Amino acid sequence: VSTSKPDTATAEADCLRGIGSQRLWSRLMTLGEIGALADGGVNRQALSEAEIAAWQYLTGLAAQGTGRPIEVSTDAAGNLFLTLPGRYRDLPPVLLGSHLDSQPAGGRFDGAYGVLSALEVLLTRAERGLESERDLIAVGWMNEEGSRFAPGMMGSQAFAGAAGIDEIRTVCDADGISVGAALDHLHTVFAGLPRRALGFPVAAYFELHIEQGPLLEAAGTNIGVVSGIQGKKTWRIEIDGESGHAGTLAMRDRRDPLAAFARVAVALDNELGHADEQVKFTIGRVVAEPNAPSVVPRKLTFSIDLRHPDNAMLTRLGMQVEALCSANARSCSVRAVPLVDAPSNGFDPQLGRLIETAASAFGYSSMPILSAAGHDARYLAQVTPSAMIFIPCREGISHSPAEWSTPEQVGAGADVLYATLEAWLQTQNQERHDAS
Amino acid sequence: VSTSKPDTATAEADCLRGIGSQRLWSRLMTLGEIGALADGGVNRQALSEAEIAAWQYLTGLAAQGTGRPIEVSTDAAGNLFLTLPGRYRDLPPVLLGSHLDSQPAGGRFDGAYGVLSALEVLLTRAERGLESERDLIAVGWMNEEGSRFAPGMMGSQAFAGAAGIDEIRTVCDADGISVGAALDHLHTVFAGLPRRALGFPVAAYFELHIEQGPLLEAAGTNIGVVSGIQGKKTWRIEIDGESGHAGTLAMRDRRDPLAAFARVAVALDNELGHADEQVKFTIGRVVAEPNAPSVVPRKLTFSIDLRHPDNAMLTRLGMQVEALCSANARSCSVRAVPLVDAPSNGFDPQLGRLIETAASAFGYSSMPILSAAGHDARYLAQVTPSAMIFIPCREGISHSPAEWSTPEQVGAGADVLYATLEAWLQTQNQERHDAS
């Protein structure tokens, strides 16, 4: 359809200018103030007032762009889309992004970095007058973290059709507020935004993220070319017992779900948590009811997060969960509710090669890496060619106020995202020209 | 000082009329609606709006009395005093009462029954024109339960000088609200009330309560003559670890305080919770931070409640707590903060005999019983002759919405409280006449 061939030499030169890391860094630090905790961490959980404020900050940045205007829209799942229009609006767009929500005591980089970098790539292209055939969209997926509403990655799952929006809307937080009510509130605050169809066709997806692990830092490598994401299974386990007075209820008559939990947790940790060097087993959340010092609890609920890069091993370990819980709960009753069941997946190798080439054009070192953490890209990969770019983070620490990457590391990742997109667009143009 | 000898025959006849259980039962059920939960339980924690509403209900009942007026006052510790004046206001008064606060998911009887019965005794005496030499005071002690603010029995401890009011005021609830701020709020709502000196002299203390254990019901006995309270020690244990991402932090590098807690709790339960048939060991409260499913927690705090009727045994078991925690926490650090250290105590045997005689005058069966639960009477006994009367409760269940006693059981206990007071007052008059 296009008749003018893009000026490849100019595009390559632009590409090698990267995106100028100073403005991106400064915006990342500003975004980190939205939902900031006193210790430097961030509490910006999904669909909270803090995340709404983050949307306002992002849409404000989009409106300030000096190039072509960036269009803001959303969808039924509360995903945020910032679109730099291409020449042919009916072509499936390219998505770049991550998420704006954080853990209750999270850091400034996880998710926020990917969305801001995507917007920075779009703004930079607009400022430099670079046009593309397709729309380019910076996206912020709803509730990646899954801390306020479990499980996580709700926005990308709904977009990819991996979960139904009606079911997602019924999930409630600890205060009994449903995703549906929180989504409606978000859409009331942003009442003027056009609503896109859920799961529109996408040409490709790129997500830039901190590694959340120690490998890149340990190897002294600038860029991780993510080969895939390790498999993950999660459960909510409910142990029911019988409440009573701590001073009067005889020990032999007790059905104490907290005492049962302790035995269950030790058994799970022994059997699953030390199965091999690669397994990750975590109980991150525990809630006793009524949770009073002089009352034998009536109920205890806890979370299991189990991950392994090998799907067969993950399946084998996961099959033991329910039996280990029941066998160690003695007189209490146990219910194991499976939440996430995401096998390990591999990203598009062709996109991986583009990332590697882009990194090397800037003189950045790169290495293939398996993501130990889950990401929205897991679900996007089910509907479109997808890729992830990692940068190192200090000591591998994430989901913590201590999460940190340097301005140079942040800039390098954004450069590679910018150049990878450019290279991919050229490939597409080439394909379209070859086909025409 | 008194010149007219009381008409003993009339007093005995009045005593045997008891107090008419219907009105007391109806008021107990009404009080149970203040802070009521949907399942029939009560959430009326210390110094909450619900407890303030309970004060308003009680002071309203006091004002409706048809005999001599009942005076309402408070003190710096937020105790509530409803005083039926005696002939000689300078004599140390008799106190009868318990507490109005409940566990977060408590029942309608624990505490509330003792305060309402005390008020009912005063109102009945006033209606029947019975006068006493001393003031009679129905008291509601502040924060017996210790669920919102730990530890419990703050009001009676402050009154008895077992704890300083300045220290008590600094304790905070889970929302960071201090006892001091909550007390100031209470005193603002009840700004018109006279303030009594903390720890004024008291001639005797009587507390009527449900057993909170199964013994009276099992024995088919109407009244428990409480011989004493079993010893109790409590701790807050803090386990510090290091937070991290559940998907990326290698198991061998973790300092997971929740995994440590599970091992510690199993060790404590094995070593302390099964030391003999009489010990009670409870972990009722556990709080993980940040308590998110995909985050290795950075900190875990839990409660220990350890009780035993034998002081030597309680001391021996208590001395093992810190070592058992440290030995099982592996790479995490542990701090054990002792909160309550209350040895078992015995009540006044002479008052016990009055209770036994009063019960038998009504034809109620009675038996001596050791209280497994703590009560405000523990601290009153340090400053004045004190006694407790127990009634059976269904299946021994307490600190639960399922807590229940029948109208007949409730009436019998109040009858015995009424008659015991009358008998004690006569003893006192006799002593004073003999001495004059």
Side-chain angles (χ1 to χ4, degrees):
Chain A
V1 183
S2 172
T3 51
S4 70
K5 194 163 175 186
D7 180 339
T8 309
T10 312
E12 267 174 16
D14 274 325
C15 159
L16 280 176
R17 278 160 63 196
I19 70 150
S21 66
Q22 220 163 9
R23 185 172 75 177
L24 171 60
W25 177 260
S26 141
R27 288 175 172 181
L28 190 57
M29 292 303 106
T30 303
L31 181 54
E33 295 301 316
I34 301 176
L37 298 168
D39 61 2
V42 177
N43 179 6
R44 194 171 57 231
Q45 294 185 71
L47 302 176
S48 63
E49 292 305 319
E51 203 194 13
I52 285 174
W55 273 45
Q56 275 152 344
Y57 178 60
L58 267 282
T59 56
L61 292 182
Q64 287 164 28
T66 56
R68 271 163 301 143
I70 288 187
E71 303 169 357
V72 183
S73 58
T74 181
D75 64 9
N79 298 312
L80 174 65
F81 302 106
L82 306 167
T83 304
L84 180 66
R87 277 191 214 104
Y88 307 105
R89 304 295 310 258
D90 56 337
L91 287 178
V94 182
L95 262 58
L96 308 90
S98 191
H99 59 95
L100 292 168
D101 68 312
S102 82
Q103 289 285 330
R108 293 168 173 240
F109 299 83
D110 179 359
Y113 170 50
V115 183
L116 268 183
S117 295
L119 176 59
E120 200 63 32
V121 165
L122 268 50
L123 290 170
T124 304
R125 288 184 60 90
E127 285 157 12
R128 293 181 182 168
L130 288 174
E131 279 194 90
S132 59
E133 300 199 333
R134 299 166 189 281
D135 285 2
L136 307 179
I137 302 182
V139 58
W141 301 109
M142 189 272 283
N143 186 28
E144 194 270 348
E145 296 291 0
S147 51
R148 179 181 175 193
F149 301 107
M153 300 178 220
M154 281 183 173
S156 51
Q157 285 194 67
F159 187 89
I165 184 64
D166 292 339
E167 193 189 344
I168 284 174
R169 286 180 62 92
T170 65
V171 174
C172 285
D173 68 9
D175 295 327
I177 300 169
S178 69
V179 170
L183 275 176
D184 293 345
H185 174 62
L186 174 84
H187 284 140
T188 305
V189 175
F190 294 92
L193 293 191
R195 202 78 71 87
R196 302 192 66 124
L198 199 55
F200 53 83
V202 176
Y205 176 66
F206 296 91
E207 182 164 354
L208 174 59
H209 209 283
I210 59 168
E211 181 197 337
Q212 305 183 283
L215 302 181
L216 290 175
E217 185 182 60
T221 300
N222 305 116
I223 297 293
V225 182
V226 184
S227 55
I229 296 181
Q230 74 177 339
K232 170 179 174 179
K233 286 174 182 278
T234 72
W235 291 262
R236 183 179 70 247
I237 313 288
E238 300 174 1
I239 308 182
D240 282 298
E242 198 167 359
S243 189
H245 190 297
T248 60
L249 187 56
M251 297 304 286
R252 67 174 174 281
D253 295 334
R254 294 191 180 193
R255 292 177 53 230
D256 181 342
L258 203 151
F261 163 71
R263 290 186 301 267
V264 166
V266 168
L268 289 169
D269 192 54
N270 286 343
E271 297 300 319
L272 308 184
H274 297 84
D276 64 16
E277 290 289 299
Q278 292 184 286
V279 69
K280 312 279 193 312
F281 168 80
T282 307
I283 299 175
R285 185 163 189 272
V286 56
V287 176
E289 296 170 50
N291 212 33
S294 61
V295 182
V296 179
R298 68 170 173 272
K299 181 169 185 165
L300 190 135
T301 306
F302 71 99
S303 64
I304 294 178
D305 181 308
L306 179 67
R307 310 198 197 196
H308 203 286
D310 178 61
N311 279 325
M313 183 68 170
L314 181 64
T315 301
R316 195 171 72 70
L317 295 176
M319 282 173 64
Q320 299 178 50
V321 164
E322 200 158 348
L324 284 167
C325 290
S326 298
N328 290 281
R330 297 192 191 169
S331 56
C332 295
S333 59
V334 182
R335 198 163 75 101
V337 183
L339 297 174
V340 171
D341 184 5
S344 65
N345 77 305
F347 289 126
D348 190 290
Q350 204 173 337
L351 299 186
R353 281 190 291 276
L354 292 183
I355 295 167
E356 195 187 328
T357 306
S360 116
F362 286 104
Y364 301 139
S365 56
S366 73
M367 62 186 251
I369 187 168
L370 182 76
S371 175
H375 295 284
D376 293 304
R378 180 201 287 285
Y379 292 103
L380 270 294
Q382 296 178 3
V383 294
T384 190
S386 298
M388 288 196 75
I389 306 166
F390 276 176
I391 62 165
C393 61
R394 191 173 62 194
E395 292 173 30
I397 295 170
S398 182
H399 285 191
S400 159
E403 186 181 276
W404 194 255
S405 296
T406 66
E408 292 69 31
Q409 290 165 335
V410 160
D415 286 344
V416 172
L417 178 67
Y418 181 90
T420 301
L421 172 67
E422 182 58 41
W424 183 85
L425 290 172
Q426 286 180 25
T427 318
Q428 292 294 300
N429 291 348
Q430 196 56 52
E431 280 177 17
R432 289 172 54 78
H433 283 286
D434 292 350
S436 66
Chain B
V1 185
S2 169
T3 51
S4 68
K5 195 163 178 187
D7 181 340
T8 310
T10 311
E12 267 174 15
D14 273 325
C15 158
L16 280 175
R17 281 161 61 196
I19 70 151
S21 66
Q22 220 163 10
R23 185 171 74 176
L24 172 60
W25 177 261
S26 141
R27 289 175 172 181
L28 191 58
M29 291 303 105
T30 304
L31 181 53
E33 294 302 316
I34 301 176
L37 299 168
D39 59 2
V42 177
N43 179 6
R44 192 171 59 231
Q45 293 186 72
L47 302 176
S48 64
E49 293 305 318
E51 203 194 12
I52 285 174
W55 274 44
Q56 275 153 344
Y57 178 60
L58 268 282
T59 56
L61 292 181
Q64 287 165 27
T66 57
R68 272 162 302 144
I70 288 184
E71 303 169 358
V72 183
S73 57
T74 181
D75 65 9
N79 298 313
L80 174 65
F81 303 106
L82 306 167
T83 303
L84 179 66
R87 279 191 212 102
Y88 308 105
R89 305 293 312 258
D90 55 338
L91 287 177
V94 182
L95 262 59
L96 306 91
S98 191
H99 60 93
L100 291 168
D101 67 313
S102 82
Q103 289 286 329
R108 294 166 172 239
F109 299 84
D110 180 359
Y113 170 49
V115 183
L116 268 182
S117 296
L119 176 59
E120 200 63 30
V121 166
L122 269 49
L123 290 170
T124 303
R125 288 184 61 90
E127 286 157 12
R128 294 180 182 170
L130 289 174
E131 278 194 89
S132 58
E133 301 198 332
R134 300 166 189 281
D135 286 2
L136 307 180
I137 302 182
V139 57
W141 302 110
M142 187 273 284
N143 186 29
E144 195 270 348
E145 296 291 0
S147 51
R148 178 180 176 194
F149 301 108
M153 299 178 222
M154 281 183 172
S156 51
Q157 285 195 66
F159 187 89
I165 183 66
D166 292 340
E167 193 191 342
I168 284 174
R169 286 179 62 90
T170 64
V171 174
C172 286
D173 69 8
D175 295 328
I177 300 170
S178 70
V179 170
L183 276 176
D184 293 346
H185 175 61
L186 174 83
H187 285 139
T188 305
V189 174
F190 293 93
L193 292 191
R195 202 78 71 86
R196 301 190 66 125
L198 199 55
F200 53 83
V202 176
Y205 176 65
F206 296 92
E207 182 164 355
L208 173 59
H209 209 283
I210 58 168
E211 181 197 337
Q212 306 184 281
L215 302 181
L216 290 175
E217 186 181 59
T221 300
N222 305 116
I223 296 294
V225 182
V226 184
S227 56
I229 296 180
Q230 74 176 340
K232 171 179 173 179
K233 286 174 182 279
T234 71
W235 291 261
R236 183 179 69 246
I237 313 287
E238 300 173 0
I239 307 182
D240 282 297
E242 201 168 357
S243 188
H245 190 297
T248 59
L249 187 57
M251 297 304 286
R252 67 175 175 280
D253 295 334
R254 295 190 180 194
R255 292 176 54 231
D256 180 342
L258 204 152
F261 163 71
R263 290 187 300 269
V264 166
V266 168
L268 289 170
D269 192 52
N270 287 342
E271 297 299 319
L272 308 185
H274 296 85
D276 64 17
E277 288 290 296
Q278 293 184 285
V279 70
K280 312 278 192 311
F281 169 80
T282 307
I283 298 175
R285 186 165 189 271
V286 56
V287 176
E289 298 170 49
N291 212 34
S294 61
V295 182
V296 179
R298 65 168 176 273
K299 180 168 186 166
L300 189 134
T301 307
F302 71 99
S303 65
I304 294 179
D305 181 308
L306 180 67
R307 309 197 196 195
H308 203 285
D310 178 63
N311 279 325
M313 184 68 172
L314 181 63
T315 303
R316 195 172 72 69
L317 294 176
M319 282 174 62
Q320 300 177 49
V321 164
E322 201 159 346
L324 284 168
C325 290
S326 298
N328 291 282
R330 295 192 191 166
S331 57
C332 296
S333 59
V334 181
R335 197 162 75 102
V337 183
L339 297 175
V340 170
D341 184 4
S344 65
N345 78 305
F347 288 127
D348 190 291
Q350 204 174 337
L351 298 186
R353 280 190 293 275
L354 292 183
I355 296 168
E356 196 187 327
T357 306
S360 118
F362 285 103
Y364 300 141
S365 56
S366 73
M367 62 186 253
I369 188 169
L370 183 77
S371 174
H375 295 285
D376 293 306
R378 181 202 287 283
Y379 292 102
L380 270 294
Q382 297 178 1
V383 293
T384 192
S386 298
M388 288 196 75
I389 305 165
F390 275 177
I391 61 165
C393 61
R394 193 173 60 195
E395 293 174 30
I397 295 171
S398 183
H399 285 191
S400 158
E403 186 181 275
W404 193 255
S405 297
T406 66
E408 292 69 31
Q409 290 166 333
V410 160
D415 286 343
V416 172
L417 179 67
Y418 180 90
T420 301
L421 172 66
E422 182 57 42
W424 184 84
L425 290 172
Q426 288 180 25
T427 319
Q428 292 293 299
N429 291 348
Q430 197 56 51
E431 280 176 16
R432 288 170 54 79
H433 284 285
D434 293 349
S436 64

